[in-house]
Amino acid sequence: MSAAPEEPPATSREQQAMLRALEIAANGPARGVNPQVGCVILGADGTVIAEGWHRGVGTAHAEVDALSQLAPGAARGATAVVTLEPCNHTGHTGPCAVALIEAGIGRVVFAVSDPGSHSGGGAERLRAAGVSVTGGVLVDEAEAFLGDWLTVARLGRPLVTVKWASSLDGRIAAADGTSRWITGDAARADVHRRRSEHDAILVGTGTALADDPSLTARDELGGLLPAQPIPVVMGTRAIPTDAAVHRHPLPVVLHHGHDPAALLAELRATGVRSVFIEGGPTIATAFLRAGLADTVLTYLAPVLLGGPRLAIDDLGIATIGDALRLETVSVERLGADLLLISAPTTSAPRIPSTDRTLSV
């Protein structure tokens, strides 16, 4: 069996075209199911003959957008420089790899390989058709640009942040259930800022019924911040029609079920890339136990409460050797409080569960 031919290195003009492709990719929508992608087509002399970018779900992908600006046959022998590997599947649009082949493109240069199990493989299809292909060009810049979309695509689910505010001894409420306010103004302002940076905010029906939260992101004066997370309530109990969450500026998502993975799949299908979990210990425990937490935010107030109202319920850990280990990312002081940002270690196993039913 003969070895596969080596990829020719990208020329300086192709690298410059990749920088331009990243620049125009930013014209597309930053949120949603699809990534921001840019494409620059170079003629035989290395000059730019067309540019394109993806404008959102259902619209032409960047490669097809660029090709549409050329007369029939004008792309023959040209080079397409794309920030993401041309797709190899039919969704709302056809496969870009096929469109490039049919247009007569002679060479394709891309930055990041498509991580999708269905959409990937475009480079192999192009090579099989005799197109010269070089990948990994300015890959670091492109991966930084794609940011959370690429991480979500590789994980196959939205990123999950689990947050709670507690006393130093890990209590989220006093014995009588009161919890406002454990932390101070600076910590609460930080929470609202982080809410606004996420696509969705999640609580269980238990929290929705007990606290009647609005699930909005607000400023210090109580006004709504420009960016609002989609409110999501998970569980099987009904939420009153006059609940505060129904007055959220975005429609509430009511997930009738107890499976965290199923909920994340549902949210990802709608374009959600990040979820901020602010429910009580039942919801937080469910996502931690399922291995579905990427970041843990713990706001610690310098108070002691004692009692049973812990931030996390039973994780099913019987011995210290099975503890769910986290790595400290940073520690911030917020007025009198501390914010501990941590992340489960990459080797942290999913904790087996003998009971998949959650009372939320």
Side-chain angles (χ1 to χ4, degrees):
M1 181 182 294
S2 60
E6 293 187 5
E7 295 181 347
T11 66
S12 59
R13 287 200 174 184
E14 288 170 348
Q15 293 184 22
Q16 291 171 1
M18 185 65 75
L19 289 173
R20 174 58 180 167
L22 286 168
E23 180 182 354
I24 61 176
N27 292 327
R31 312 309 303 171
V33 177
N34 293 340
Q36 294 173 298
V37 180
C39 175
V40 173
I41 299 179
L42 303 176
D45 60 355
T47 60
V48 176
I49 60 175
E51 296 181 344
W53 62 86
H54 182 53
R55 291 167 168 79
V57 175
T59 66
H61 287 190
E63 300 93 319
V64 175
D65 185 46
L67 289 171
S68 69
Q69 301 171 36
L70 299 174
R76 189 160 303 280
T79 296
V81 179
V82 195
T83 56
L84 184 66
E85 177 187 6
C87 67
N88 189 36
H89 82 303
T90 299
H92 291 286
T93 60
C96 292
V98 172
L100 293 168
I101 293 168
E102 292 178 345
I105 288 288
R107 175 165 166 74
V108 171
V109 176
F110 68 89
V112 179
S113 297
D114 191 324
S117 57
H118 299 295
S119 55
E124 288 79 1
R125 189 164 189 172
L126 288 161
R127 292 189 184 101
V131 178
S132 170
V133 180
T134 297
V137 177
L138 300 186
V139 63
D140 292 339
E141 291 87 340
E143 288 203 358
F145 172 79
L146 286 169
D148 60 356
W149 179 88
L150 193 59
T151 303
V152 168
R154 289 169 174 167
L155 285 174
R157 60 166 176 81
L159 291 164
V160 174
T161 297
V162 176
K163 166 263 175 183
W164 66 79
S166 71
S167 60
L168 287 180
D169 53 347
R171 270 63 184 180
I172 60 172
D176 64 355
T178 56
S179 61
R180 295 188 179 186
W181 296 103
I182 290 179
T183 54
D185 292 342
R188 294 198 296 275
D190 189 77
V191 169
H192 282 280
R193 177 180 64 82
R194 293 179 187 275
R195 285 183 180 183
S196 71
E197 293 172 350
H198 285 73
D199 293 337
I201 181 170
L202 168 66
V203 298
T205 52
T207 296
L209 292 170
D211 298 341
D212 194 25
S214 65
L215 301 184
T216 53
R218 302 181 298 277
D219 60 26
E220 291 83 352
L221 300 177
L224 295 178
L225 293 174
Q228 291 293 320
I230 299 167
V232 183
V233 180
M234 177 182 181
T236 55
R237 285 181 280 177
I239 303 300
T241 56
D242 61 348
V245 70
H246 290 299
R247 297 191 292 276
H248 193 287
L250 298 176
V252 62
V253 174
L254 300 174
H255 179 79
H256 190 81
H258 295 135
D259 187 342
L263 171 57
L264 292 181
E266 175 185 323
L267 293 176
R268 186 193 178 199
T270 66
V272 169
R273 300 182 191 174
S274 58
V275 181
F276 194 72
I277 295 181
E278 271 213 79
T282 302
I283 287 290
T285 302
F287 278 82
L288 288 168
R289 191 163 186 155
L292 296 174
D294 302 292
T295 303
V296 176
L297 303 180
T298 306
Y299 293 84
L300 287 173
V303 298
L304 299 173
L305 292 173
R309 296 181 180 271
L310 293 169
I312 297 297
D313 288 335
D314 182 12
L315 282 172
I317 296 171
T319 181
I320 191 66
D322 295 333
L324 178 58
R325 302 287 179 179
L326 292 90
E327 297 176 350
T328 300
V329 176
S330 67
V331 179
E332 302 176 21
R333 183 158 188 167
L334 299 169
D337 307 313
L338 293 178
L339 168 60
L340 176 63
I341 303 177
S342 55
T345 61
T346 54
S347 59
R350 181 188 183 281
I351 302 168
S353 175
T354 57
D355 182 6
R356 296 294 298 276
T357 301
L358 308 176
S359 298
V360 296

